[in-house]
Amino acid sequence: MLLTDAVLLANAHVRLEPLAERHTPGIAAAARGLEHAWFTSVPDPDAAAADVAQRLAWRDEGHMNPWAIVRDGDVVGGEVVGETTFCNVDQANRHVEIGHTWLTPAAQRTAVNTAAKLLLLAHAFEQCDAIAVEFRTHWHNRASRAAIERLGAKRDGVLRNHRIGPDGILRDTVVYSILPGEWPAVRRGLEARLARG
């Protein structure tokens, strides 16, 4: 299976639905209250349609595979609580980044992120035969860094002055990765966290 194949991924906690225009109202609602998050990329609620269109354009170009994160994976028509993607897809080298991820405040510090990451990592390693899955985050996004480290990803380094943000501020990017040999232990850790509730 290709890293860019649009597939539905689901477990008892979340459903990752291939992103579509029909998710726009849910994404707009989920993004409310996140306008202050200057260190991460969350769509303005009024620009949700443009955000969806951009992610779909990147999908069509072959370097992103976007999903809407829907709470209650076993319930049809559940609540959209965020977005996530396979991005910077390098199919030839079976390398991918999980990124452009955000969650509405009510879904943060719940099982949603852990369950979504379990689905994405299992898909990357077990169906797509990835040789590395990468995570990148802003140096100042301490919550994201802590969440990535709790997954079991190892820090590869910091790309200093990596990007210029929309506000003109330079961003240092922290890079993490998980390799196939590390995946069984990472999987076990994620499953244990979900079992604890």
Side-chain angles (χ1 to χ4, degrees):
M1 182 171 282
L2 300 178
L3 291 160
T4 52
D5 287 345
V7 294
L8 174 70
L9 304 172
N11 58 29
H13 303 278
V14 295
R15 190 170 61 252
L16 303 183
E17 297 180 356
L19 187 65
E21 289 179 2
R22 68 182 173 80
H23 293 112
T24 301
I27 287 165
R32 295 201 196 295
L34 291 171
E35 296 86 351
H36 65 280
W38 62 272
F39 48 74
T40 191
S41 181
V42 177
D44 183 286
D46 296 328
D51 174 77
V52 170
Q54 180 64 75
R55 289 176 188 236
L56 294 179
W58 287 332
R59 178 204 64 198
D60 293 344
E61 292 167 6
H63 53 82
M64 178 178 276
N65 190 352
W67 286 274
I69 303 172
V70 180
R71 195 190 319 245
D72 298 322
D74 56 350
V75 177
V76 174
E79 173 192 12
V80 174
V81 295
E83 293 177 288
T84 193
T85 75
F86 279 173
C87 55
N88 297 317
V89 175
D90 181 354
Q91 184 62 53
N93 290 298
R94 302 194 324 269
H95 188 279
V96 70
E97 177 186 343
I98 294 174
H100 296 268
T101 302
W102 61 271
L103 290 172
T104 195
Q108 294 173 12
R109 290 173 290 285
T110 69
V112 169
N113 187 53
T114 301
K117 292 301 188 290
L118 177 60
L119 288 169
L120 291 167
L121 288 163
H123 182 62
F125 286 120
E126 296 171 14
Q127 277 76 52
C128 300
D129 197 26
I131 63 166
V133 175
E134 189 175 282
F135 299 85
R136 294 183 176 208
T137 192
H138 195 298
W139 174 261
H140 290 290
N141 193 342
R142 288 180 175 83
S144 177
R145 286 169 44 199
I148 292 167
E149 290 168 8
R150 280 194 305 273
L151 289 174
K154 299 212 173 22
R155 189 166 115 175
D156 296 326
V158 180
L159 303 175
R160 301 183 68 210
N161 283 358
H162 179 233
R163 288 194 182 152
I164 301 172
D167 54 5
I169 295 175
L170 294 172
R171 166 185 160 143
D172 289 351
T173 298
V174 188
V175 182
Y176 296 85
S177 65
I178 298 172
L179 303 180
E182 299 161 346
W183 167 234
V186 169
R187 175 188 261 286
R188 183 167 292 181
L190 291 171
E191 290 171 343
R193 282 171 55 194
L194 287 173
R196 287 195 301 269

